Every structure is written in C-alpha cells, then in structure tokens.
Amino acid sequence: MWKRPPASAKSFDSTLITIVLVVIVAILLRFFVADAAIVRGKSMLPHYRNGEVVFIFKAAYGIRLPSGRYIVRWGRPVRGEVVAALRPGTNEIVIKRIGEIREQQPMPVYFLIGDNGIESIDSRDFGLVTFDAFVGKVIPQR
C-alpha cells in the first residue's frame, strides 16, 4: 500500500525544484542576456574609469552562443555606441566605442576606438572587427 509522504518532504522537494530553476534561469541570463564587466586601464577615459563596473547587455544585437556565433540577429551596433567586443587574436573582452562602420561583402566590419586615443589599444592596433566579435552593448552609454 502506498503512503503519502509527510508534508515536510513535499516542502523540501518544491524548495529544491525552485532553487534549481532559479540557478538555471540565472545561468541562461548570464550567458545570453546580461553580464557585468570591470573596466581595465585608461583607454576609455574620461567616460569610463579604471575599476568601474559596467553592465553588458548581451542581447542588444541578438542571441550569441558561448562559441561566439550569433544564431539570431535583431540589431546592429551604430557609430558612437560603446560596446564590449572580443579583441581579435585573443579572448580578451575590450570596451570600446564604434568609430566607423565599413560596409564590406557580405557583412560590415567595425573600427573600434578608445575615448583616450593616446593610451588606447584599439582597431589602430588590432584591426577591424566583425559582428560576431561583439559580446554586447555597454550600459550606461556615455
């Protein structure tokens, strides 16, 4: 004969399910929607300071897989926006402003610049970046 579990076991099960769901949602949000980053260096002075925490809106332009490819795109960065992007040749995330968009076939390429041109390592050093290099849009925009 089947016995009904005590009320405390049901409560434990529902709490565990809730915790697991919250963790899964948090992981999905971090990988696909939003993240935070710490500004390193002086390249974005005076608008962003070394050690400042910024919000990266990863879903600003579409849904990007952790591998780096966008599977769905619904927007493009525009000139003047501050973005988080992967520096070509490395997996380092850099925060830069879009200085220029060059139309090339089949997709545009982007010239990224630091606000502090004298101390910035940017597209003048590492070259143009493609759309798939963008991790997201930096919030707040300054």
Side-chain angles (χ1 to χ4, degrees):
M1 177 176 218
W2 181 78
K3 288 188 176 183
R4 180 180 236 174
S8 62
K10 281 185 178 181
S11 175
F12 176 76
D13 289 345
S14 64
T15 302
L16 183 61
I17 290 170
T18 302
I19 291 170
V20 169
L21 288 175
V22 167
V23 169
I24 290 170
V25 168
I27 289 170
L28 290 174
L29 285 174
R30 182 170 182 272
F31 279 108
F32 298 109
V33 179
D35 203 355
I38 298 172
V39 177
R40 298 280 183 224
K42 300 177 182 178
S43 74
M44 291 302 289
L45 284 173
H47 299 104
Y48 300 90
R49 294 185 177 91
N50 185 41
E52 182 177 351
V53 177
V54 294
F55 177 75
I56 300 173
F57 182 38
K58 289 183 169 183
Y61 310 119
I63 298 191
R64 183 177 190 271
L65 295 174
S67 66
R69 297 216 19 125
Y70 277 86
I71 56 170
V72 177
R73 298 177 185 181
W74 50 65
R76 285 189 177 174
V78 297
R79 188 173 188 268
E81 275 185 346
V82 179
V83 297
L86 294 175
R87 180 178 169 181
T90 70
N91 280 335
E92 176 187 11
I93 294 177
V94 294
I95 295 173
K96 303 293 177 196
R97 190 173 304 277
I98 297 177
E100 185 179 344
I101 302 170
R102 298 180 184 172
E103 295 297 327
Q104 292 184 355
Q105 297 293 336
M107 296 292 292
V109 290
Y110 301 84
F111 189 86
L112 304 181
I113 57 172
D115 290 346
N116 182 2
I118 294 172
E119 296 196 40
S120 180
I121 295 174
D122 50 33
S123 284
R124 294 172 290 182
D125 302 297
F126 54 71
L128 301 169
V129 299
T130 63
F131 182 82
D132 283 339
F134 292 115
V135 176
K137 182 177 180 177
V138 173
I139 306 293
Q141 292 281 301
R142 296 184 191 144

